[in-house]
Coordinates of all heavy atoms in Angstrom, one line a residue:
M1 N 10.2 -19.6 -1.3 CA 10.4 -19.0 0.1 C 9.0 -19.0 0.8 O 8.3 -18.1 0.8 CB 10.9 -17.6 0.0 CG 11.8 -17.3 1.2 SD 12.5 -15.6 1.0 CE 11.2 -14.6 1.4
K2 N 8.7 -20.1 1.4 CA 7.4 -20.2 2.1 C 7.6 -20.4 3.6 O 8.2 -21.4 4.0 CB 6.6 -21.4 1.4 CG 5.2 -21.0 1.1 CD 4.5 -22.1 0.5 CE 3.0 -21.7 0.3 NZ 2.2 -22.8 -0.3
K3 N 7.0 -19.5 4.3 CA 7.1 -19.7 5.8 C 5.8 -20.5 6.2 O 4.7 -20.2 5.8 CB 7.0 -18.3 6.4 CG 8.4 -17.8 6.9 CD 8.3 -16.7 7.8 CE 7.8 -15.4 7.1 NZ 7.6 -14.3 8.0
K4 N 6.1 -21.5 7.1 CA 5.0 -22.2 7.6 C 4.5 -21.6 8.9 O 5.3 -21.3 9.8 CB 5.5 -23.6 7.9 CG 5.2 -24.6 6.8 CD 3.8 -25.3 7.1 CE 3.5 -26.3 6.0 NZ 2.3 -27.1 6.2
I5 N 3.3 -21.3 8.9 CA 2.7 -20.7 10.1 C 1.5 -21.6 10.5 O 0.9 -22.3 9.7 CB 2.3 -19.2 10.0 CG1 1.4 -19.0 8.8 CG2 3.5 -18.4 10.0 CD1 0.8 -17.6 8.8
S6 N 1.1 -21.5 11.8 CA -0.1 -22.3 12.2 C -1.4 -21.7 11.6 O -1.4 -20.5 11.3 CB -0.1 -22.3 13.7 OG -0.5 -21.1 14.2
K7 N -2.4 -22.5 11.6 CA -3.7 -22.0 11.1 C -4.2 -20.9 11.9 O -4.8 -19.9 11.4 CB -4.7 -23.2 11.1 CG -5.9 -22.8 10.3 CD -6.8 -24.0 10.1 CE -8.1 -23.5 9.5 NZ -9.1 -24.5 9.3
T8 N -4.1 -21.0 13.3 CA -4.5 -19.9 14.1 C -3.8 -18.6 13.8 O -4.5 -17.5 13.7 CB -4.2 -20.2 15.6 OG1 -4.3 -21.6 15.8 CG2 -5.2 -19.5 16.5
K9 N -2.6 -18.7 13.5 CA -1.8 -17.5 13.2 C -2.2 -16.9 11.9 O -2.3 -15.7 11.7 CB -0.3 -17.9 13.2 CG 0.5 -16.7 13.6 CD 1.9 -17.0 14.0 CE 2.7 -15.8 14.3 NZ 4.1 -16.0 14.3
A10 N -2.5 -17.8 11.0 CA -2.9 -17.4 9.6 C -4.3 -16.7 9.8 O -4.5 -15.7 9.2 CB -3.1 -18.6 8.7
E11 N -5.2 -17.3 10.6 CA -6.5 -16.6 10.8 C -6.3 -15.3 11.4 O -7.1 -14.3 11.1 CB -7.4 -17.5 11.8 CG -8.1 -18.7 11.0 CD -8.7 -19.7 11.9 OE1 -8.3 -19.7 13.1 OE2 -9.6 -20.3 11.4
Q12 N -5.4 -15.1 12.3 CA -5.2 -13.9 13.0 C -4.7 -12.8 11.9 O -5.1 -11.7 11.9 CB -4.1 -14.0 14.0 CG -4.7 -14.1 15.4 CD -3.6 -14.5 16.4 OE1 -2.4 -14.4 16.2 NE2 -4.0 -15.0 17.6
Q13 N -3.8 -13.3 11.1 CA -3.2 -12.5 10.1 C -4.3 -11.9 9.1 O -4.3 -10.8 8.7 CB -2.2 -13.3 9.4 CG -1.0 -12.5 8.8 CD 0.1 -13.4 8.3 OE1 0.6 -14.3 8.9 NE2 0.4 -13.2 7.0
I14 N -5.2 -12.8 8.8 CA -6.3 -12.5 7.9 C -7.2 -11.5 8.5 O -7.6 -10.5 7.9 CB -7.0 -13.8 7.4 CG1 -6.1 -14.6 6.5 CG2 -8.3 -13.4 6.6 CD1 -6.5 -16.0 6.3
K15 N -7.5 -11.7 9.7 CA -8.4 -10.8 10.5 C -7.8 -9.4 10.5 O -8.5 -8.4 10.3 CB -8.6 -11.4 11.9 CG -10.0 -11.0 12.5 CD -10.1 -11.7 13.9 CE -10.8 -10.8 14.8 NZ -10.7 -11.3 16.2
E16 N -6.6 -9.4 10.9 CA -5.8 -8.2 11.0 C -5.9 -7.4 9.6 O -6.1 -6.3 9.6 CB -4.4 -8.5 11.4 CG -3.6 -7.3 11.7 CD -3.9 -6.5 13.0 OE1 -4.7 -7.1 13.8 OE2 -3.4 -5.4 13.1
F17 N -5.6 -8.2 8.6 CA -5.6 -7.6 7.3 C -6.9 -7.0 6.9 O -6.9 -5.8 6.4 CB -5.3 -8.8 6.3 CG -5.2 -8.3 4.9 CD1 -4.0 -7.9 4.3 CD2 -6.3 -8.3 4.0 CE1 -3.9 -7.5 3.0 CE2 -6.2 -7.9 2.7 CZ -5.0 -7.5 2.2
F18 N -8.0 -7.6 7.2 CA -9.3 -7.1 6.8 C -9.7 -5.9 7.7 O -10.6 -5.1 7.3 CB -10.3 -8.2 6.8 CG -10.3 -8.9 5.5 CD1 -9.6 -10.1 5.4 CD2 -10.9 -8.4 4.4 CE1 -9.5 -10.8 4.2 CE2 -10.9 -9.1 3.2 CZ -10.2 -10.4 3.1
N19 N -9.0 -5.7 8.8 CA -9.3 -4.6 9.7 C -8.8 -3.3 9.0 O -9.2 -2.2 9.3 CB -8.7 -4.7 11.0 CG -9.5 -5.6 12.0 OD1 -10.7 -5.8 11.7 ND2 -8.8 -6.1 13.0
H20 N -7.8 -3.5 8.1 CA -7.2 -2.3 7.5 C -7.3 -2.4 5.9 O -6.5 -2.0 5.2 CB -5.7 -2.2 7.9 CG -5.5 -2.2 9.3 ND1 -5.8 -1.1 10.1 CD2 -5.1 -3.2 10.2 CE1 -5.5 -1.4 11.4 NE2 -5.1 -2.7 11.4
L21 N -8.4 -3.1 5.5 CA -8.6 -3.4 4.1 C -8.4 -2.3 3.1 O -7.9 -2.3 2.1 CB -9.9 -4.2 3.9 CG -10.1 -4.6 2.5 CD1 -9.1 -5.8 2.2 CD2 -11.5 -5.1 2.3
K22 N -9.0 -1.1 3.6 CA -9.1 0.0 2.7 C -7.7 0.6 2.3 O -7.6 1.3 1.2 CB -10.0 1.1 3.2 CG -11.4 0.7 3.3 CD -12.4 1.8 3.4 CE -13.8 1.2 3.3 NZ -14.8 2.2 3.3
N23 N -6.7 0.3 3.0 CA -5.4 0.8 2.6 C -4.6 -0.3 1.9 O -3.5 -0.1 1.6 CB -4.6 1.1 3.9 CG -5.4 2.0 4.8 OD1 -6.0 2.9 4.4 ND2 -5.3 1.7 6.1
K24 N -5.2 -1.4 1.6 CA -4.5 -2.5 1.0 C -4.5 -2.4 -0.5 O -5.4 -1.8 -1.2 CB -5.1 -3.9 1.4 CG -5.1 -4.0 2.9 CD -3.7 -4.1 3.5 CE -3.8 -4.4 5.0 NZ -2.5 -4.2 5.6
K25 N -3.4 -3.0 -1.1 CA -3.3 -3.1 -2.6 C -3.9 -4.4 -3.1 O -4.0 -5.3 -2.3 CB -1.9 -2.9 -3.0 CG -1.3 -1.6 -2.5 CD 0.1 -1.4 -3.2 CE 0.7 0.0 -2.8 NZ 1.1 0.1 -1.4
T26 N -4.2 -4.3 -4.3 CA -4.8 -5.5 -4.9 C -3.9 -6.7 -4.8 O -4.4 -7.8 -4.5 CB -5.1 -5.3 -6.4 OG1 -3.9 -5.0 -7.1 CG2 -6.1 -4.2 -6.6
K27 N -2.6 -6.5 -4.9 CA -1.6 -7.6 -4.8 C -1.7 -8.2 -3.4 O -1.6 -9.4 -3.3 CB -0.2 -6.9 -5.0 CG 0.6 -7.8 -5.9 CD 1.9 -7.0 -6.3 CE 3.0 -7.1 -5.2 NZ 4.1 -6.3 -5.5
E28 N -1.8 -7.4 -2.4 CA -1.9 -7.9 -1.0 C -3.2 -8.7 -0.8 O -3.2 -9.7 -0.1 CB -1.8 -6.7 -0.1 CG -0.5 -6.0 -0.1 CD -0.5 -4.7 0.7 OE1 -1.2 -3.8 0.3 OE2 0.1 -4.7 1.7
I29 N -4.3 -8.3 -1.5 CA -5.5 -9.0 -1.3 C -5.5 -10.4 -1.9 O -5.9 -11.4 -1.4 CB -6.7 -8.2 -1.9 CG1 -6.9 -6.9 -1.1 CG2 -8.0 -9.0 -1.9 CD1 -8.0 -6.0 -1.6
K30 N -4.8 -10.4 -3.1 CA -4.6 -11.7 -3.8 C -3.8 -12.6 -2.9 O -4.1 -13.8 -2.8 CB -3.9 -11.5 -5.1 CG -4.9 -11.1 -6.2 CD -4.1 -11.0 -7.5 CE -4.9 -10.3 -8.6 NZ -4.1 -10.0 -9.8
K31 N -2.8 -12.1 -2.3 CA -1.9 -12.8 -1.4 C -2.7 -13.4 -0.2 O -2.5 -14.5 0.1 CB -0.8 -11.9 -0.9 CG 0.5 -12.6 -0.8 CD 1.6 -11.6 -0.6 CE 2.3 -11.8 0.8 NZ 3.3 -10.8 1.1
I32 N -3.5 -12.5 0.4 CA -4.2 -13.0 1.6 C -5.3 -14.0 1.2 O -5.6 -14.9 2.0 CB -4.8 -11.8 2.4 CG1 -4.8 -12.1 3.9 CG2 -6.2 -11.4 1.9 CD1 -3.5 -11.8 4.6
K33 N -5.9 -13.8 0.1 CA -6.8 -14.8 -0.4 C -6.2 -16.2 -0.6 O -6.7 -17.3 -0.2 CB -7.4 -14.4 -1.7 CG -9.0 -14.6 -1.8 CD -9.5 -14.3 -3.1 CE -10.7 -15.2 -3.4 NZ -11.1 -15.2 -4.8
R34 N -5.0 -16.2 -1.1 CA -4.2 -17.4 -1.3 C -3.9 -18.0 0.0 O -4.0 -19.2 0.2 CB -2.9 -17.1 -2.1 CG -3.0 -17.7 -3.5 CD -1.6 -17.9 -4.2 NE -0.6 -16.9 -3.7 CZ -0.2 -15.8 -4.5 NH1 -0.8 -15.5 -5.6 NH2 0.7 -15.0 -4.0
L35 N -3.5 -17.2 1.0 CA -3.2 -17.7 2.3 C -4.4 -18.4 2.9 O -4.3 -19.5 3.5 CB -2.8 -16.5 3.2 CG -2.4 -16.8 4.6 CD1 -1.0 -17.5 4.7 CD2 -2.4 -15.6 5.5
A36 N -5.5 -17.7 2.8 CA -6.7 -18.3 3.4 C -7.1 -19.6 2.7 O -7.5 -20.6 3.4 CB -7.9 -17.3 3.2
M37 N -6.9 -19.7 1.4 CA -7.2 -20.9 0.7 C -6.2 -22.0 1.1 O -6.7 -23.1 1.2 CB -7.1 -20.6 -0.9 CG -8.4 -20.1 -1.4 SD -8.2 -19.4 -3.1 CE -7.8 -20.9 -4.0
S38 N -5.0 -21.7 1.3 CA -4.1 -22.8 1.6 C -4.2 -23.3 3.0 O -3.9 -24.4 3.2 CB -2.6 -22.3 1.4 OG -2.3 -21.2 2.3
Y39 N -4.9 -22.5 3.8 CA -5.2 -23.0 5.2 C -6.6 -23.4 5.3 O -7.1 -23.7 6.4 CB -4.8 -21.9 6.2 CG -3.3 -21.8 6.5 CD1 -2.6 -20.9 5.7 CD2 -2.7 -22.6 7.5 CE1 -1.2 -20.9 5.9 CE2 -1.4 -22.5 7.7 CZ -0.6 -21.6 6.9 OH 0.7 -21.6 7.1
N40 N -7.3 -23.4 4.2 CA -8.8 -23.8 4.3 C -9.6 -22.9 5.2 O -10.4 -23.3 6.0 CB -8.8 -25.2 4.7 CG -9.6 -26.0 3.6 OD1 -10.4 -25.5 2.9 ND2 -9.3 -27.3 3.6
I41 N -9.2 -21.6 5.2 CA -10.0 -20.6 6.0 C -11.0 -19.9 5.2 O -10.7 -19.4 4.1 CB -9.0 -19.6 6.6 CG1 -8.0 -20.3 7.5 CG2 -9.7 -18.5 7.4 CD1 -6.8 -19.5 7.9
K42 N -12.2 -20.0 5.6 CA -13.3 -19.3 4.9 C -13.3 -17.9 5.2 O -13.3 -17.4 6.3 CB -14.6 -19.9 5.3 CG -14.8 -21.4 4.8 CD -16.2 -21.7 4.4 CE -16.4 -23.0 3.7 NZ -16.1 -24.2 4.6
L43 N -13.4 -17.1 4.1 CA -13.4 -15.6 4.3 C -14.8 -15.1 4.7 O -15.0 -14.1 5.3 CB -12.9 -14.9 3.1 CG -11.4 -15.1 2.7 CD1 -11.1 -14.3 1.5 CD2 -10.6 -14.6 3.9
G44 N -15.8 -15.9 4.3 CA -17.2 -15.5 4.6 C -17.6 -14.1 4.3 O -17.4 -13.7 3.1
K45 N -18.0 -13.3 5.2 CA -18.5 -12.0 4.9 C -17.4 -11.1 4.4 O -17.6 -10.1 3.7 CB -19.0 -11.4 6.2 CG -20.4 -11.6 6.5 CD -20.9 -10.7 7.6 CE -21.5 -11.5 8.7 NZ -21.6 -10.9 10.0
K46 N -16.1 -11.4 4.7 CA -15.0 -10.6 4.3 C -14.9 -10.6 2.7 O -14.3 -9.6 2.2 CB -13.7 -11.1 4.9 CG -13.7 -11.0 6.4 CD -12.4 -11.4 6.9 CE -12.3 -11.6 8.4 NZ -13.0 -12.8 8.8
R47 N -15.4 -11.6 2.1 CA -15.3 -11.6 0.7 C -16.1 -10.5 0.0 O -15.8 -10.1 -1.1 CB -15.9 -13.0 0.1 CG -14.9 -14.1 0.1 CD -15.6 -15.3 -0.5 NE -16.8 -15.6 0.1 CZ -17.9 -16.0 -0.5 NH1 -17.8 -16.3 -1.8 NH2 -19.0 -16.2 0.1
K48 N -17.1 -10.0 0.7 CA -17.9 -8.9 0.2 C -17.3 -7.6 0.3 O -17.9 -6.5 0.0 CB -19.3 -8.9 0.9 CG -20.0 -10.3 0.7 CD -21.3 -10.3 1.4 CE -22.0 -11.7 1.3 NZ -23.2 -11.8 1.9
L49 N -16.1 -7.5 0.8 CA -15.4 -6.2 1.1 C -14.5 -5.8 0.0 O -14.0 -4.7 -0.1 CB -14.6 -6.3 2.4 CG -15.4 -6.6 3.6 CD1 -14.5 -6.8 4.8 CD2 -16.4 -5.5 3.9
F50 N -14.3 -6.7 -1.0 CA -13.5 -6.4 -2.1 C -14.0 -7.0 -3.4 O -14.8 -7.9 -3.3 CB -12.0 -6.8 -1.9 CG -11.9 -8.3 -1.7 CD1 -11.6 -9.1 -2.8 CD2 -11.9 -8.8 -0.5 CE1 -11.6 -10.5 -2.6 CE2 -11.7 -10.2 -0.2 CZ -11.6 -11.0 -1.3
C51 N -13.7 -6.4 -4.5 CA -14.1 -6.9 -5.8 C -13.5 -8.2 -6.1 O -12.3 -8.4 -6.1 CB -13.8 -5.9 -6.9 SG -14.1 -6.4 -8.6
K52 N -14.3 -9.2 -6.5 CA -13.7 -10.5 -6.7 C -13.1 -10.6 -8.1 O -12.4 -11.5 -8.5 CB -14.7 -11.7 -6.5 CG -15.8 -11.7 -7.5 CD -16.7 -12.9 -7.2 CE -17.9 -12.9 -8.1 NZ -18.7 -14.1 -7.8
K53 N -13.3 -9.6 -8.9 CA -12.7 -9.6 -10.3 C -11.3 -8.9 -10.3 O -10.4 -9.5 -10.8 CB -13.7 -8.9 -11.2 CG -13.3 -9.0 -12.7 CD -14.5 -9.5 -13.5 CE -14.0 -10.0 -14.8 NZ -15.0 -10.6 -15.6
C54 N -11.3 -7.7 -9.8 CA -10.0 -7.0 -9.8 C -9.3 -6.9 -8.5 O -8.2 -6.3 -8.4 CB -10.1 -5.7 -10.5 SG -11.1 -4.5 -9.5
F55 N -9.9 -7.5 -7.4 CA -9.3 -7.4 -6.0 C -9.1 -6.1 -5.5 O -8.1 -5.8 -4.7 CB -8.1 -8.3 -6.0 CG -8.3 -9.7 -6.3 CD1 -8.1 -10.2 -7.6 CD2 -8.8 -10.6 -5.3 CE1 -8.3 -11.6 -7.9 CE2 -9.0 -11.9 -5.6 CZ -8.8 -12.4 -6.9
T56 N -9.9 -5.1 -5.9 CA -9.8 -3.8 -5.3 C -10.7 -3.7 -4.1 O -11.9 -4.0 -4.2 CB -10.2 -2.7 -6.3 OG1 -9.3 -2.9 -7.5 CG2 -10.0 -1.3 -5.8
P57 N -10.3 -3.2 -3.0 CA -11.2 -3.0 -1.8 C -12.3 -2.0 -2.1 O -11.9 -1.0 -2.7 CB -10.3 -2.6 -0.7 CG -9.0 -2.2 -1.3 CD -8.9 -2.8 -2.6
Y58 N -13.5 -2.3 -1.8 CA -14.6 -1.3 -2.1 C -14.4 -0.1 -1.1 O -14.2 -0.2 0.1 CB -15.9 -1.9 -1.8 CG -16.3 -3.0 -2.7 CD1 -16.9 -4.2 -2.3 CD2 -16.2 -2.9 -4.1 CE1 -17.3 -5.2 -3.1 CE2 -16.6 -3.9 -5.0 CZ -17.1 -5.0 -4.5 OH -17.5 -6.0 -5.4
Q59 N -14.4 1.0 -1.7 CA -14.3 2.2 -0.9 C -15.7 2.9 -0.8 O -16.2 3.1 0.3 CB -13.4 3.3 -1.6 CG -12.0 2.8 -1.9 CD -11.1 2.7 -0.7 OE1 -11.4 3.1 0.4 NE2 -9.9 2.1 -0.9
N60 N -16.3 3.1 -1.9 CA -17.6 3.8 -1.9 C -18.4 3.2 -3.1 O -18.7 3.9 -4.1 CB -17.3 5.2 -2.0 CG -18.6 6.0 -1.8 OD1 -19.5 5.5 -1.1 ND2 -18.7 7.2 -2.2
P61 N -18.7 1.9 -3.1 CA -19.3 1.3 -4.3 C -20.8 1.7 -4.4 O -21.4 2.1 -3.4 CB -19.1 -0.2 -4.0 CG -19.1 -0.3 -2.5 CD -18.5 1.0 -2.0
K62 N -21.2 1.5 -5.6 CA -22.7 1.7 -5.9 C -23.4 0.5 -5.4 O -23.1 -0.6 -5.8 CB -22.9 1.9 -7.3 CG -22.7 3.4 -7.8 CD -23.1 3.4 -9.3 CE -22.1 4.2 -10.0 NZ -22.1 3.9 -11.5
I63 N -24.3 0.7 -4.5 CA -25.0 -0.5 -4.0 C -26.5 -0.4 -4.4 O -27.2 0.6 -4.1 CB -24.9 -0.6 -2.4 CG1 -23.5 -0.8 -2.1 CG2 -25.8 -1.8 -1.9 CD1 -23.2 -0.7 -0.6
K64 N -27.0 -1.5 -5.0 CA -28.5 -1.4 -5.3 C -29.1 -2.7 -4.7 O -28.5 -3.7 -4.7 CB -28.6 -1.5 -6.9 CG -28.6 -0.2 -7.5 CD -28.8 -0.3 -9.0 CE -28.0 0.7 -9.8 NZ -27.7 0.2 -11.2
I65 N -30.3 -2.5 -4.3 CA -31.0 -3.7 -3.7 C -32.3 -3.8 -4.4 O -33.1 -2.9 -4.6 CB -31.3 -3.5 -2.2 CG1 -29.9 -3.5 -1.5 CG2 -32.1 -4.6 -1.7 CD1 -30.0 -3.0 0.0
K66 N -32.5 -5.0 -5.1 CA -33.7 -5.2 -5.8 C -34.1 -6.7 -5.6 O -33.4 -7.6 -5.7 CB -33.4 -5.0 -7.3 CG -34.5 -4.8 -8.2 CD -34.1 -4.5 -9.6 CE -35.1 -4.8 -10.6 NZ -34.6 -4.8 -12.0
S67 N -35.4 -6.8 -5.3 CA -36.0 -8.1 -4.9 C -35.0 -9.0 -4.2 O -34.8 -10.1 -4.7 CB -36.7 -8.7 -6.1 OG -35.7 -8.8 -7.2
K68 N -34.6 -8.6 -3.0 CA -33.7 -9.4 -2.2 C -32.3 -9.7 -2.7 O -31.6 -10.5 -2.2 CB -34.5 -10.6 -1.7 CG -35.5 -10.3 -0.7 CD -36.1 -11.6 -0.1 CE -37.1 -11.2 0.9 NZ -37.8 -12.4 1.4
I69 N -32.0 -9.1 -3.9 CA -30.7 -9.3 -4.4 C -30.0 -7.9 -4.2 O -30.4 -6.9 -4.7 CB -30.7 -9.7 -5.9 CG1 -31.6 -10.9 -6.2 CG2 -29.3 -9.8 -6.4 CD1 -31.0 -12.2 -5.8
K70 N -28.8 -8.0 -3.6 CA -28.0 -6.9 -3.4 C -26.9 -6.8 -4.4 O -26.2 -7.9 -4.5 CB -27.4 -6.9 -2.0 CG -26.7 -5.7 -1.6 CD -26.2 -5.8 -0.1 CE -25.3 -4.7 0.3 NZ -24.8 -4.9 1.6
S71 N -26.8 -5.8 -5.2 CA -25.7 -5.8 -6.1 C -24.8 -4.6 -5.8 O -25.2 -3.5 -5.4 CB -26.2 -5.7 -7.5 OG -26.5 -4.4 -7.9
V72 N -23.5 -4.9 -5.9 CA -22.5 -3.9 -5.6 C -21.6 -3.8 -6.8 O -21.1 -4.7 -7.3 CB -21.6 -4.4 -4.4 CG1 -20.5 -3.4 -4.0 CG2 -22.5 -4.6 -3.1
E73 N -21.5 -2.6 -7.2 CA -20.7 -2.3 -8.4 C -19.3 -1.8 -8.0 O -19.2 -0.8 -7.3 CB -21.4 -1.3 -9.3 CG -20.7 -1.2 -10.7 CD -21.5 -0.2 -11.6 OE1 -22.7 -0.1 -11.5 OE2 -20.8 0.4 -12.4
C74 N -18.3 -2.4 -8.6 CA -16.9 -2.0 -8.2 C -16.6 -0.7 -8.9 O -16.9 -0.5 -10.2 CB -16.0 -3.1 -8.8 SG -14.2 -2.6 -8.7
E75 N -16.0 0.2 -8.2 CA -15.7 1.5 -8.8 C -14.5 1.5 -9.7 O -14.2 2.3 -10.6 CB -15.3 2.6 -7.7 CG -16.2 2.6 -6.5 CD -15.5 2.2 -5.3 OE1 -15.2 1.0 -5.1 OE2 -15.1 3.1 -4.5
N76 N -13.7 0.4 -9.6 CA -12.5 0.3 -10.4 C -12.7 -0.4 -11.7 O -12.4 0.2 -12.7 CB -11.5 -0.5 -9.5 CG -10.2 -0.6 -10.2 OD1 -9.6 0.4 -10.6 ND2 -9.7 -1.8 -10.5
C77 N -13.5 -1.5 -11.8 CA -13.6 -2.2 -13.0 C -15.0 -2.3 -13.5 O -15.3 -2.8 -14.6 CB -13.0 -3.6 -12.9 SG -13.9 -4.8 -11.9
G78 N -16.0 -1.9 -12.6 CA -17.4 -1.9 -13.0 C -18.0 -3.3 -12.8 O -19.2 -3.4 -13.1
Y79 N -17.3 -4.2 -12.3 CA -17.9 -5.5 -12.2 C -19.0 -5.5 -11.0 O -18.8 -5.0 -10.0 CB -16.8 -6.6 -11.8 CG -17.3 -8.0 -11.6 CD1 -17.6 -8.8 -12.7 CD2 -17.6 -8.5 -10.3 CE1 -18.1 -10.1 -12.5 CE2 -18.0 -9.8 -10.1 CZ -18.3 -10.6 -11.3 OH -18.8 -11.8 -11.1
K80 N -20.1 -6.1 -11.3 CA -21.2 -6.2 -10.4 C -21.2 -7.5 -9.6 O -21.3 -8.6 -10.2 CB -22.5 -6.0 -11.0 CG -22.8 -4.5 -11.3 CD -24.1 -4.3 -12.0 CE -24.2 -3.0 -12.6 NZ -24.9 -3.0 -13.9
S81 N -21.1 -7.4 -8.3 CA -21.2 -8.7 -7.5 C -22.7 -8.7 -7.0 O -23.2 -7.6 -6.6 CB -20.2 -8.7 -6.3 OG -19.0 -8.6 -6.8
R82 N -23.3 -9.8 -6.9 CA -24.6 -9.9 -6.4 C -24.7 -10.9 -5.3 O -24.1 -12.0 -5.4 CB -25.6 -10.4 -7.5 CG -25.8 -9.3 -8.6 CD -26.8 -9.8 -9.7 NE -26.9 -8.8 -10.7 CZ -26.1 -8.8 -11.7 NH1 -25.2 -9.6 -12.0 NH2 -26.3 -7.8 -12.6
W83 N -25.4 -10.6 -4.3 CA -25.7 -11.4 -3.1 C -27.1 -11.5 -2.8 O -27.8 -10.5 -2.8 CB -24.9 -11.0 -1.9 CG -23.4 -11.0 -2.1 CD1 -22.6 -12.1 -2.2 CD2 -22.5 -9.9 -2.2 NE1 -21.3 -11.7 -2.4 CE2 -21.3 -10.4 -2.4 CE3 -22.8 -8.5 -2.2 CZ2 -20.2 -9.5 -2.6 CZ3 -21.7 -7.7 -2.3 CH2 -20.4 -8.2 -2.5
K84 N -27.5 -12.6 -2.4 CA -28.9 -12.8 -1.9 C -29.0 -12.3 -0.6 O -28.1 -12.5 0.3 CB -29.3 -14.3 -1.9 CG -30.0 -14.7 -3.2 CD -30.6 -16.1 -3.1 CE -30.9 -16.6 -4.4 NZ -30.8 -18.1 -4.5
M85 N -30.0 -11.5 -0.2 CA -30.2 -11.1 1.1 C -31.0 -12.0 1.9 O -31.9 -12.6 1.4 CB -30.8 -9.7 1.1 CG -30.1 -8.7 0.2 SD -29.9 -7.1 0.7 CE -31.3 -6.7 1.6
K86 N -30.7 -12.1 3.2 CA -31.5 -13.0 4.0 C -32.5 -12.3 4.7 O -32.4 -11.1 5.1 CB -30.5 -13.7 5.0 CG -29.8 -14.8 4.4 CD -28.7 -15.4 5.3 CE -27.8 -16.3 4.5 NZ -26.6 -16.6 5.2
Ligands
ZN101 ZN1 -13.4 -4.5 -9.7

């Protein structure tokens, strides 16, 4: 059961989704990620809003910054994501 929607509509849907990310469930995040992938839509900064391991939206993660590397620890699974700071 796959509904075909336009890329613009998919982008809108994704944008809307991330506006309310904190209320979302991991299942929904996985789904929206799949949607983005199937339409070749880059999530960019939005990827940093949830844990890439367990797909839990960050609520109040531990953030550490060390020599231009920012690390965010997931409160749910403890996975640390690291990003280079510009
Ligand atoms: Zn996690």
Side-chain angles (χ1 to χ4, degrees):
M1 212 176 74
K2 227 179 174 183
K3 260 195 290 174
K4 262 267 182 181
I5 53 170
S6 71
K7 189 174 177 182
T8 326
K9 209 157 179 204
E11 275 170 342
Q12 261 170 18
Q13 211 172 305
I14 291 164
K15 208 175 142 195
E16 184 72 13
F17 180 88
F18 278 95
N19 283 339
H20 308 284
L21 185 70
K22 292 201 173 184
N23 311 316
K24 303 296 182 189
K25 295 189 177 75
T26 57
K27 223 170 81 185
E28 296 171 291
I29 295 177
K30 278 184 193 170
K31 215 170 117 187
I32 212 81
K33 219 188 152 191
R34 251 201 328 260
L35 178 77
M37 274 164 66
S38 65
Y39 282 90
N40 239 331
I41 297 166
K42 290 211 169 73
L43 293 179
K45 271 191 235 161
K46 297 183 188 75
R47 274 186 309 146
K48 300 178 181 178
L49 299 173
F50 60 89
C51 174
K52 67 175 177 184
K53 190 131 195 173
C54 68
F55 297 95
T56 302
Y58 292 135
Q59 306 284 353
N60 193 20
K62 277 184 223 161
I63 298 171
K64 273 184 218 157
I65 295 166
K66 202 178 156 189
S67 53
K68 287 191 179 170
I69 306 281
K70 183 176 174 187
S71 81
V72 180
E73 189 178 330
C74 173
E75 314 117 281
N76 184 56
C77 72
Y79 182 80
K80 282 183 194 139
S81 300
R82 292 183 181 88
W83 297 290
K84 265 187 197 152
M85 308 219 325
K86 280 172 193 168

